[in-house]
Amino acid sequence: MMGGLGRDMSMNPKVLEVNLIKDEKQVDFDWQHNFSTLLFSLFVAALFLVEIYVGLNWWANYEEERALAAEAKFNLVSKQIKEMRTESDEILAFKERADIAHQLLDNHVYWTNFFNWLEKNTLSSVNYHAFSGGTDGVYQLQASTKTYRDISWQTRAMLENPSILSARVDRGTTEREEGEEKVESETVNFTLDLKVDPQLFRAASK
């Protein structure tokens, strides 16, 4: 039996052969076709990079123009603010001068009204020599007259005026004078302290 098997194997030596490369195909690389594809891919990539560069360059120019426009606008606004500040300073300076002038005018009218009022409320025999006081209505007048009785009458006349808050004469001093014909005359000096309602003269000035 073994003899028969050996005989069969010797007769068919190709039965045990294994075809390991059955259906094997030869692969050939087409350089011309693939080079065109590679070249096209490189062209697309380069085109994409160019678009990115152009886009970035346009964006940079656009931002630069915006920055220049913003700077120009800022400079214009700053210039306008400076002009407005200058005009404002001039207006404030003018207002200050106007206020001072108005105050001086008010004070002038105030004193004019006061002295007119004082003249109307002073006896003809009383003369004033010195004056001190302000717009608060408190005054001190150095005056003289011929008799002590005139001092009393002058004080009473002041107190009867509704605008007088207080009127006082503390004392009087006598002074004798000698005239050209060597006739002696008597003068009584006194200080009249007055407190007047200041609204009287402010109301009169309007």
Side-chain angles (χ1 to χ4, degrees):
M1 185 173 182
M2 290 290 296
L5 181 58
R7 193 171 43 252
D8 290 337
M9 291 177 63
S10 61
M11 292 177 62
N12 299 296
K14 298 181 179 180
V15 174
L16 297 178
E17 292 180 1
V18 178
N19 188 2
L20 298 177
I21 57 173
K22 187 178 180 180
D23 299 328
E24 181 180 359
K25 294 183 179 179
Q26 185 177 0
V27 178
D28 295 328
F29 186 80
D30 190 350
W31 286 99
Q32 183 177 3
H33 177 72
N34 287 283
F35 181 76
S36 300
T37 303
L38 180 61
L39 186 62
F40 178 75
S41 299
L42 292 175
F43 175 76
V44 171
L47 184 62
F48 180 71
L49 291 175
V50 169
E51 289 181 355
I52 293 176
Y53 173 78
V54 172
L56 290 175
N57 189 45
W58 175 86
W59 181 80
N61 292 334
Y62 174 74
E63 289 297 324
E64 184 178 359
E65 290 178 358
R66 286 185 58 189
L68 291 175
E71 183 179 1
K73 188 174 182 180
F74 175 79
N75 293 334
L76 178 61
V77 172
S78 298
K79 182 180 178 181
Q80 291 176 348
I81 291 175
K82 290 180 180 178
E83 292 177 352
M84 291 176 63
R85 185 176 299 171
T86 302
E87 293 177 357
S88 177
D89 292 341
E90 292 177 354
I91 291 173
L92 289 176
F94 175 78
K95 184 178 182 301
E96 290 178 357
R97 292 194 295 269
D99 290 342
I100 293 173
H102 183 69
Q103 184 178 2
L104 292 174
L105 181 61
D106 285 347
N107 288 336
H108 174 72
V109 174
Y110 179 93
W111 290 118
T112 300
N113 292 334
F114 172 75
F115 288 122
N116 289 337
W117 174 89
L118 184 63
E119 183 180 1
K120 292 178 182 178
N121 291 274
T122 300
L123 300 178
S124 59
S125 58
V126 175
N127 296 311
Y128 297 111
H129 307 290
F131 166 84
S132 64
T135 57
D136 56 352
V138 178
Y139 310 103
Q140 190 175 72
L141 298 97
Q142 305 296 328
S144 65
T145 186
K146 297 298 182 183
T147 65
Y148 283 94
R149 185 178 58 183
D150 289 338
I151 297 176
S152 178
W153 283 107
Q154 181 61 68
T155 305
R156 182 178 298 179
M158 290 295 185
L159 290 173
E160 290 177 354
N161 192 296
S163 298
I164 295 295
L165 302 179
S166 67
R168 186 180 77 249
V169 176
D170 292 333
R171 63 188 179 89
T173 59
T174 303
E175 179 181 349
R176 295 184 179 275
E177 297 178 354
E178 186 175 328
E180 295 179 357
E181 299 179 357
K182 296 183 180 182
V183 177
E184 291 185 352
S185 62
E186 187 177 79
T187 301
V188 180
N189 297 317
F190 65 97
T191 299
L192 176 61
D193 293 317
L194 288 178
K195 189 174 182 180
V196 184
D197 183 4
Q199 295 299 326
L200 170 69
F201 309 109
R202 290 194 176 96
S205 64
K206 294 181 180 179

